[in-house]
Amino acid sequence: MANIIPDAFKSELLKGTHNFAASGGNTFYIALYDTTLGPPYTTSSTVYSATNECSSAGGSNYPAGGQALGNAGVSVPSANTAVVDFDPEVFSSVTISSVGAAIYNYTNSNKLVLVLDFGGTKSASSGDFTIQFPSPTAADGILRVA
């Protein structure tokens, strides 16, 4: 499966549902999934789903629903392209395996923003699971509008 930008997100973006401003913007969360992203997710998905989400069972320390992303922000790194950027997200002292993640707007009814496919299973065993977002450039930003 590849990364997914839901159709609903595209129209919600134009309606002003999602505010990625670094100061005063919405709160966005990232949740991790352990077996498959689809289901629960397809391009017609509209909200965050707990189906197949990593579990906090067995002392993994993974918080249900994921964690809030830090420092959302919008920039225009080159002409004709705006990008959203987040700080790296660290799930501390966890024991999990994940195939991907979902970013959703916690502030606005858990509306789905983006589904990320890690391209294979990534794991942490009693350690940190870190998601490093790509550089916020016109070619590499995690979420780009051109």
Side-chain angles (χ1 to χ4, degrees):
M1 184 176 148
N3 295 342
I4 296 172
I5 298 177
D7 293 337
F9 170 73
K10 297 169 190 174
S11 70
E12 291 163 359
L13 191 61
L14 296 176
K15 293 175 185 174
T17 302
H18 303 280
N19 181 349
F20 291 96
S23 178
N26 298 148
T27 299
F28 294 89
Y29 268 56
I30 188 164
L32 302 176
Y33 294 84
D34 60 7
T35 56
T36 182
L37 297 169
Y41 296 117
T42 68
T43 56
S44 62
S45 299
T46 59
V47 295
Y48 152 81
S49 172
T51 302
N52 298 324
E53 186 177 2
C54 290
S55 171
S56 60
S60 77
N61 290 327
Y62 175 81
Q67 296 181 164
L69 288 164
N71 289 330
V74 177
S75 64
V76 180
S78 65
N80 302 318
T81 304
V83 298
V84 173
D85 188 31
F86 298 103
D87 283 346
E89 189 60 33
V90 179
F91 291 83
S92 298
S93 302
V94 294
T95 298
I96 56 174
S97 293
S98 179
V99 297
I103 296 174
Y104 63 97
N105 189 333
Y106 182 81
T107 304
N108 285 322
S109 305
N110 297 334
K111 292 184 182 294
L112 191 60
V113 172
L114 178 64
V115 179
L116 302 170
D117 183 345
F118 293 158
T121 302
K122 308 300 180 194
S123 300
S125 180
S126 297
D128 292 347
F129 188 98
T130 302
I131 298 173
Q132 178 68 50
F133 294 101
S135 299
T137 66
D140 296 323
I142 191 68
L143 188 58
R144 303 179 304 269
V145 177

